[in-house]
Each structure stands twice: as C-alpha cells, then as structure tokens.
Amino acid sequence: MEKKSRVLIIGATGNLGHHLINASLLFSHPTFALVRPSSFSDPHKSQKLQALSHAGVKLLQGSLEDEDSLVEAVKQVDVVICSVQAKQVLLQKLLIQVIKNVGSIKRFIPSEFGLDPDKTQISGMDHNFYSNKAEIRRLVEAEGIPYTFVSCNFYSSYLLPSLVQPGLKVPPRDKVTIFGDGNTKGVFVKEIDVAAFTIRTLDDPRSLNKVLYLRPPGNVYSLNELVELWESKIGKKLEKVFVSEEELLNKIKGLSDLL
C-alpha cells in the first residue's frame, strides 16, 4: 500500500480546518493539528479537541507566532496545510521561514481557499484581503517551497442561504436585489468538498507547484439562475430590483468610509 503523507493542519478548530481534519483522517493520513494553548481551556474548543484526539489526531501545542513550536511540529510531518482566518494570513510568514529552514516539507498549502488573489480585483476596497494572500504566494514562490494554492471560489454556506442578499440569513420571498444584469456566473462549493479535494491533492504530482481550481460544472450559477431556481421552489415570482455596478461600488465605498 502506498505510504500516505503525514499532515499538519493549522487552524483545526475553525470551520474549514475541522473539515480538513476529518478528510485527512478519512483518507488515512497520519494527522497532526497545531493548536493554541488557550484553545485547550476554551469549553467549546476543548470539546472539539478531545473528539479529535479520540479520532486519532495528534494534538501539538503552539501557534504561528511561536517559532519553537512551529519547528517541532513541522519536523514531524511531510505536508503543512494552513487554514487560519483572513486577518491572520500574514502571520504565515514565520511558518514559511520555518518550512524553508527545516527543508523536509514536500508540500505547503497556505491559507487561501477562496477566489484567486492574483486574478481578483475589488477596486481598492478589499482592505488588503486579496493583496495579503498574494503577498504570501510570492513569498512561498521566492523561498522555493513546494506548494499547491487552492482556489475554491465561493463557500456555498456564505452566500446561498441568503440567495446572495446582503444582510439576510434566509432567501427572500417577495423582493430580490440583482447586481448588474445578474448574468455573471460564480462557483459555489461546500466546505466539506473543498477539504476533500485539498486532502486528495496532497500526494498527487499533477498539482505540485500549481493552483488547484475547484469548479464543478454543476456548481456554477448566475444570480439570475439562482433566483429562478428559488422561484420554482416557492412557486412564485419575486420582484426584482436591479443595482448597477457603479451603484454597488459607490455603496461599498460609502460603507468603507464609515469604518
């Protein structure tokens, strides 16, 4: 039987991290998780961690800001996957340096898991969300670290429950806002599937030093198509309010100026 890579997952108590852990175990990878010491005393997180330990995950105490713990963790594995929140993306710089110095990691998957930061433009209003991820890409490439960048586009759990309507938690039943002409298509992928694809790529040479784009044909929809599907479910037509690109950008800029 082919030997499976040993996997370190950073951010295991987060939503995607939890799915990554489960997928790693499902596909029989020896699985390690780097966990902040404070998480063990958090009632909600400690329950999760206990369940992971019982499932066979080796829990290692440490953080992205603790070089010694990173060195100790990285030396025990073949692959490192980071799934921390966007605001912590630049904290991966120390991890990258540790991976470079240790020199034994076969593949690094940085915390990205969204739209391709090299191809996404938000008119300067993204508060460095994508530029920070692009900065990490450049650093990984410059250090010559083997990598796979995972571009999964939109998480379906973020946008589909509201039918892509800001401020709503459930789909509207009377009026719906259409952005632009509503024909631009997006790719919507469940976190559990993102995790499964990510883990399956670890020992696949075809994805080494490349961007892995997750675009299942059946998951590609425009807003107009999503609205039409919802209308067929509820058996009624919704009033459609169209907002132009210019109007939308002005609204976003106005909100940004208030922050």
Side-chain angles (χ1 to χ4, degrees), residues 132-194:
N132 286 347
K133 292 185 176 185
E135 183 178 343
I136 292 299
R137 278 193 177 190
R138 301 292 84 79
L139 184 57
V140 170
E141 293 166 343
E143 295 292 357
I145 293 170
Y147 67 84
T148 297
F149 302 138
V150 179
S151 178
C152 63
N153 297 288
F154 298 114
Y155 291 141
S156 53
S157 64
Y158 286 9
L159 295 173
L160 292 188
S162 68
L163 204 63
V164 200
Q165 301 298 295
L168 295 186
K169 294 183 179 180
V170 296
R173 287 183 169 267
D174 297 303
K175 182 188 298 184
V176 63
T177 300
I178 305 293
F179 305 105
D181 61 10
N183 291 323
T184 300
K185 292 183 181 289
V187 185
F188 303 88
V189 187
K190 294 175 69 174
E191 287 95 325
I192 191 171
D193 294 329
V194 173

Side-chain angles (χ1 to χ4, degrees), residues 37-53:
S38 59
S39 296
F40 290 91
S41 57
D42 181 300
H44 179 63
K45 290 183 178 179
S46 64
Q47 266 192 327
K48 277 188 177 180
L49 294 174
Q50 188 174 23
L52 293 179
S53 180

Side-chain angles (χ1 to χ4, degrees), residues 87-146:
K87 62 184 179 182
Q88 297 177 303
V89 160
L90 292 183
L91 292 180
Q92 295 175 107
K93 288 184 176 182
L94 178 58
L95 172 62
I96 291 168
Q97 194 56 54
V98 167
I99 291 173
K100 171 72 173 179
N101 292 341
V102 170
S104 59
I105 292 302
K106 297 177 181 177
R107 192 175 311 215
F108 174 48
I109 298 180
S111 186
E112 199 167 291
F113 303 104
L115 301 175
D116 188 329
D118 286 341
K119 297 182 178 181
T120 304
Q121 297 181 1
I122 311 291
S123 301
M125 294 183 283
D126 72 333
H127 301 284
N128 297 319
F129 183 89
Y130 291 106
S131 60
N132 286 347
K133 292 185 176 185
E135 183 178 343
I136 292 299
R137 278 193 177 190
R138 301 292 84 79
L139 184 57
V140 170
E141 293 166 343
E143 295 292 357
I145 293 170

